[in-house]
């Protein structure tokens, strides 16, 4: 019983530490997104509507939900299985695939929104900024899903105490 308690405490400390790292990375990524939005010339609210919410893009909403589920499953399985386990490798690949699909949906949404605002995203400078913004948004969504997953893990560990 003492050994199990020690393991739970260690797991709680490790998970809480990872959660803090994720939250710090999430804040940093959000700051980067703000800088990129300024460079692109979209106001924060317009960029959030165009990119984060996908201007009502139901595919993006579904993909975000899928990403959350995949991250939670990965978090659950990674505690019990090694990184080289085929199931873990498949889950990592699935997460990366969903992130790529999110990037594509964001690009579609931003492109549509930008054309309405007469912003040419096809010049090389803006294209690079849009690409960086898309990458940062996808990373931010991933960090949010990871944060939620770790919060859930911390809650589960706390309930065991």
């Amino acid at each position: 019983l003492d050994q199990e308690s020690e393991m739970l405490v260690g797991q709680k400390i490790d998970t809480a530490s990872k959660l803090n790292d994720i939250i710090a990375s999430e804040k940093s990524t959000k700051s980067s997104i703000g800088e990129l939005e300024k460079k692109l010339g979209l106001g924060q609210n317009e960029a959030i509507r165009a990119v984060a919410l996908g201007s009502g893009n139901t595919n993006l909403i579904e993909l975000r939900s899928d990403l959350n589920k995949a991250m939670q499953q990965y978090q659950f399985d990674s505690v019990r299985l090694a990184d080289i386990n085929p199931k873990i490798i498949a889950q990592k690949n699935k997460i990366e695939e969903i992130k790529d699909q999110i990037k594509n949906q964001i690009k579609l949404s931003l492109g549509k929104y930008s054309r309405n605002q007469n912003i040419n995203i096809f010049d090389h400078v803006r294209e690079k900024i849009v690409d960086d913004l898309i990458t940062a948004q996808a990373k931010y969504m991933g960090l949010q899903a990871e944060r939620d997953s770790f919060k859930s893990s911390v809650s589960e560990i706390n309930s065991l105490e």
Side-chain angles (χ1 to χ4, degrees):
L1 189 61
D2 286 340
Q3 186 179 12
E4 187 175 350
S5 293
E6 284 180 31
M7 288 179 64
L8 275 175
V9 169
Q11 187 177 3
K12 180 179 178 180
I13 291 169
D14 185 45
T15 305
S17 175
K18 287 179 184 176
L19 177 60
N20 287 335
D21 291 345
I22 291 167
I23 290 171
S25 184
E26 183 182 7
K27 287 179 182 177
S28 172
T29 302
K30 190 172 183 177
S31 175
S32 296
I33 290 169
E35 290 299 316
L36 291 168
E37 289 167 350
K38 286 179 188 176
K39 287 180 184 178
L40 190 57
L42 291 173
Q44 185 176 15
N45 290 336
E46 291 86 2
I48 288 172
R49 272 197 303 277
V51 179
L53 300 178
S55 296
N57 184 334
T58 57
N59 291 332
L60 184 57
I61 293 167
E62 288 176 25
L63 286 170
R64 289 180 76 177
S65 176
D66 291 346
L67 180 62
N68 284 336
K69 290 174 189 170
M71 293 291 291
Q72 287 175 352
Q73 186 63 47
Y74 170 76
Q75 183 63 30
F76 176 76
D77 289 339
S78 67
V79 173
R80 299 178 291 124
L81 303 173
D83 282 344
I84 58 171
N85 185 291
K87 186 174 182 179
I88 295 295
I89 292 170
Q91 287 174 341
K92 285 181 181 179
N93 290 338
K94 181 179 180 180
I95 289 168
E96 289 307 313
E97 181 182 325
I98 294 170
K99 286 180 180 179
D100 286 342
Q101 290 174 4
I102 287 172
K103 285 174 74 170
N104 291 335
Q105 286 298 317
I106 291 171
K107 193 167 193 173
L108 286 173
S109 297
L110 183 62
K112 176 183 174 186
Y113 187 83
S114 296
R115 280 194 296 278
N116 291 342
Q117 297 294 312
N118 296 319
I119 296 173
N120 180 8
I121 65 167
F122 298 106
D123 67 72
H124 294 296
V125 175
R126 285 215 171 117
E127 184 177 23
K128 173 72 173 126
I129 294 171
V130 167
D131 189 50
D132 291 347
L133 180 61
I134 290 166
T135 300
Q137 281 287 358
K139 179 181 177 183
Y140 183 69
M141 288 178 192
L143 287 168
Q144 287 177 319
E146 202 171 348
R147 178 202 62 213
D148 293 344
S149 176
F150 272 93
K151 280 185 175 182
S152 175
S153 294
V154 168
S155 294
E156 280 184 41
I157 292 169
N158 285 339
S159 71
L160 295 173
E161 290 181 347

